[in-house]
Amino acid sequence: MPETISAPWSLGVAYFSPHPEHRFLFEILDHAGIAYCLTEDPESPEAIAACDVWLVASHLRDGLPRAWREAVPRHVQAGKGLVVLGNPLGVESVFGVEPVSGANAQFGAWLGSVQSMGEGWFQPETGGRADGRPLHFFGGYAFREAKPGVALGSVVDRHGQRSEMVAAVRAGDRAAGLFVDIAATVRHISHGIPVAVDGVPAPDGSAPLNDNILKAEDGLVLDWTMDRDDPCGAGFGFFSEPVADCWREFLLESIFRVAQAAGAPLRVVWYYPECMQALGHISFDTDGSDPDLATELIDVLGGIGIRSTWFVIPPGYTPESGIIAAASADGHDIGFHFDAGIRPESRGAEWSRENFLKQFHEVARACGVEGFRSNKNHYTRWQNAADIIEWCAASGITADESKLPSKPGTLGFFSGSSHPWFHHTPLGEPIGCLEIASLSQDPIVTVPPCAHSALLKAAVSHNGIASFTFHPAHIAKPGVADALRALVAHGRELGLEFWTAAEIADWELIRRGAKLDAGGRLTGKASEAKRPPVVLSLDGGGSFSYLGCPFSLTGKAG
């Protein structure tokens, strides 16, 4: 929620990059609910006086703009806070680092003044993954310690060999340098690569992606060995930790700790109402459209007492069955389940905007509705970069859930996040349809329930959304209904409320549309919320802890 620099602010963001992928930084900050002002002017360092803390996103070949190189050290010397994200060249002495000399030393005109870190893993001293594994990154700026002891962890390759490069440093309490390309890394993990061919199968046989069906997992970029583990004895490795969320948190914690040391009362619009720690979400894909099984599921859900989202596949339930009316009457959200075809001979013809719209209107008529708020692709079908997201946004759909695993070995956070996000175009522009990644499909039928428990705990620990997919077609199979009941009961023990996809999207849009006035009060779309968002203020005596930093409740909307 950026503002122009017209009055004193706690956090300022100076953004210097010609590369569109770095604009995903604003997706990270806006979802985090941080209030900040923004400048992209490299020639106006006088703006630095307007903010207590500056996050300088520096992605220019030659480091910080010349005018900012002089202003930044003075800012730190004056007792203010600084986080440099990206290339610190020009102020590297502030952080006690120096560039690593590589091929760029000989071919600097082509390669730039600073060597790239490439792909690697960062082992932070504190925080990071719960299982202690290093965090996968994609790109950054190669610097090493010039002063021993400033590094906040080590960089390793896929063989565990330690590099001389440092990913992050702290210069006292009020300055931090983060040299990993965090925004581009989070974007790369969550978006994946455009899907045009099958992905490479997992070496343990748990994820045979070469099934001649183009799907979301075919674009995954995480590593089968380094980024998966088996924390619960499932018998195979899976993505048990949200790596992109860990990187988000590493950036946010760096900002918070620097701001706390500088005495800057940063304000944050919390993720959920009433300071809830996380959310739950259950969805059902109606493959087969069997009315008897759907009726049984409605009865099971009535006993559990949650609202869910039903993704209806063509041709849908007949109006005479009364299924959609009964589900809607119980508060369930009706979404669209796009079937792009899984037969090899039909794949090219079926994946099209025309087919999407044809099915959309066909299912809407069958359900007796004008349109849908959410979509999930059958068999997690996916092609190209973000076709489906653009089709959804143009059709009024505000949430997509097509990023979900179809194989045991891709279970969990293969797209890196338990938090919803907006996909970006190649030009760095957000597309107006929220992605809510689902973590798994039916326990008992596809994976052991212990894996669902591990994923549930992981989503809660990262303040995310624990989203799970079931099918009415499996509800009568032994153990499935009990597994659903157990999953919801476990979530409630952890403090979760279970929301529909439409509720999640509505809430996220309201949060992001909220504005903070000079007194820290919420205005704008916050007044539309049935349960107003919560404003937190970073201070030394707060009772609310986030990423190890103390916050106080300062107000609500209205």
Side-chain angles (χ1 to χ4, degrees), residues 66-273:
R66 188 165 303 279
W68 282 77
R69 295 183 182 194
E70 300 174 0
V72 161
R74 293 198 299 268
H75 182 74
V76 177
Q77 293 166 4
K80 303 297 182 68
L82 171 69
V83 177
V84 170
L85 173 62
N87 185 359
L89 194 65
V91 295
E92 66 269 30
S93 61
V94 173
F95 303 106
V97 296
E98 61 187 11
V100 172
S101 180
N104 63 296
Q106 185 176 0
F107 303 105
W110 287 359
L111 303 179
S113 302
V114 177
Q115 177 181 325
S116 171
M117 293 178 73
E119 181 181 1
W121 283 262
F122 172 53
Q123 186 70 67
E125 291 180 347
T126 60
R129 294 179 55 136
D131 58 12
R133 288 172 176 252
L135 298 178
H136 200 164
F137 64 80
F138 297 87
Y141 302 87
F143 284 79
R144 62 188 170 208
E145 287 184 312
K147 297 179 181 178
V150 297
L152 295 176
S154 56
V155 173
V156 298
D157 63 18
R158 67 178 63 255
H159 306 292
Q161 296 298 311
R162 185 166 179 169
S163 167
E164 67 172 328
M165 294 184 292
V166 294
V169 299
R170 180 164 290 135
D173 294 331
R174 291 179 286 100
L178 313 178
F179 310 141
V180 165
D181 196 343
I182 292 179
T185 289
V186 172
R187 185 190 188 281
H188 191 54
I189 294 173
S190 59
H191 286 53
I193 60 175
V195 175
V197 296
D198 274 335
V200 179
D204 62 355
S206 64
L209 298 186
N210 55 338
D211 56 5
N212 210 21
I213 302 170
L214 299 186
K215 56 203 168 298
E217 301 112 304
D218 290 328
L220 72 84
V221 298
L222 293 176
D223 189 83
W224 293 121
T225 302
M226 294 288 286
D227 298 327
R228 294 193 309 165
D229 67 346
D230 180 7
C232 64
F236 54 88
F238 58 94
F239 297 102
S240 65
E241 282 285 321
V243 177
D245 287 352
C246 292
W247 278 116
R248 291 173 186 260
E249 291 167 356
F250 189 76
L251 171 61
L252 296 176
E253 182 181 352
S254 298
I255 295 171
F256 294 157
R257 293 197 179 279
V258 164
Q260 185 180 1
L266 297 191
R267 292 188 173 91
V268 174
V269 181
W270 183 241
Y271 295 119
Y272 314 109

